[in-house]
Amino acid sequence: MTSAAERPILFLDVDGPLIPFGADFSGLQAPASDSEVSVGQGNPLLGRLAPDLGSRLTALDCDLVWASTWMEEANEAVAPRIGLPRLPVVEWRDADADADRSPLGLHWKTPRLVEWARCRPFIWVDDEISSMDRIWVAARHPGPSLLHRVDPAKGLEEADFSVFADWLGALGASRGAGA
């Protein structure tokens, strides 16, 4: 087990990974943005949350952090429905300003997540991760990272949790060997 300062971070997006948009969910369509349907309006997409996700996520040997435009609303509306405690939240700067300075194809979240992680190992779970994000992180983040794209039609599935557990297990083994 690693110390709290060394524990990997799991950056977690809401729409797509936790709230899937597949056709098998009552025919609801995904909003154009996270803020299109507010939590205060009784967001109908919250009904797509699988209640066991929280226990599955907290069982992983890492620190969970919201990396979603839901920001603090994720703690208010999502966390209680899936059994998560209040989590730290990545605060976003102006996405348009960041996009203007970023290479073509780089997700606007990527530089902020690398900055937030500092040198800690991290997993980023999102449905919008691209090869440009992987290249950029590999060149600029000194620690191990796993950028894991989730199929937004399905959300997090058993195979995704296996990938996380395997990566975290290998990371723990390599840290243990270096101690």
Side-chain angles (χ1 to χ4, degrees):
M1 175 88 52
T2 57
S3 73
E6 297 173 341
R7 277 173 52 103
I9 298 167
L10 191 151
F11 290 118
L12 189 58
D13 185 31
V14 173
D15 290 316
L18 297 184
I19 299 176
F21 297 133
D24 58 340
F25 291 95
S26 308
L28 294 172
Q29 296 296 313
S33 70
D34 290 337
S35 60
E36 183 177 300
V37 180
S38 78
V39 174
Q41 295 173 340
N43 187 333
L45 298 176
L46 292 171
R48 297 179 178 198
L49 291 165
D52 70 330
L53 282 174
S55 62
R56 305 282 315 274
L57 290 164
T58 56
L60 297 168
D61 187 19
C62 58
D63 295 332
L64 303 174
V65 175
W66 293 119
S68 170
T69 56
W70 283 68
M71 297 195 307
E72 193 57 43
E73 286 182 329
N75 279 322
E76 297 164 14
V78 177
R81 285 176 169 81
I82 62 174
L84 284 177
R86 182 171 283 298
L87 301 176
V89 176
V90 175
E91 296 290 331
W92 305 114
R93 299 194 256 293
D94 181 8
D96 292 332
D98 286 345
D100 290 342
R101 294 188 303 264
S102 297
L104 186 62
L106 185 70
H107 195 289
W108 59 268
K109 290 180 182 179
T110 308
R112 179 69 178 123
L113 294 179
V114 168
E115 177 186 343
W116 209 95
R118 294 186 180 89
C119 295
R120 287 174 64 183
F122 72 86
I123 299 171
W124 175 21
V125 178
D126 205 306
D127 60 316
E128 297 180 347
I129 294 170
S130 71
S131 57
M132 178 58 80
D133 298 306
R134 290 183 177 91
I135 292 166
W136 199 93
V137 170
R140 288 169 178 80
H141 181 64
S145 62
L146 171 64
L147 279 63
H148 185 77
R149 185 184 181 284
V150 174
D151 181 347
K154 298 177 181 177
L156 285 172
E157 297 185 300
E158 182 63 37
D160 300 304
F161 283 97
S162 294
V163 169
F164 305 153
D166 290 348
W167 188 84
L168 290 164
L171 182 65
S174 69
R175 287 181 172 273

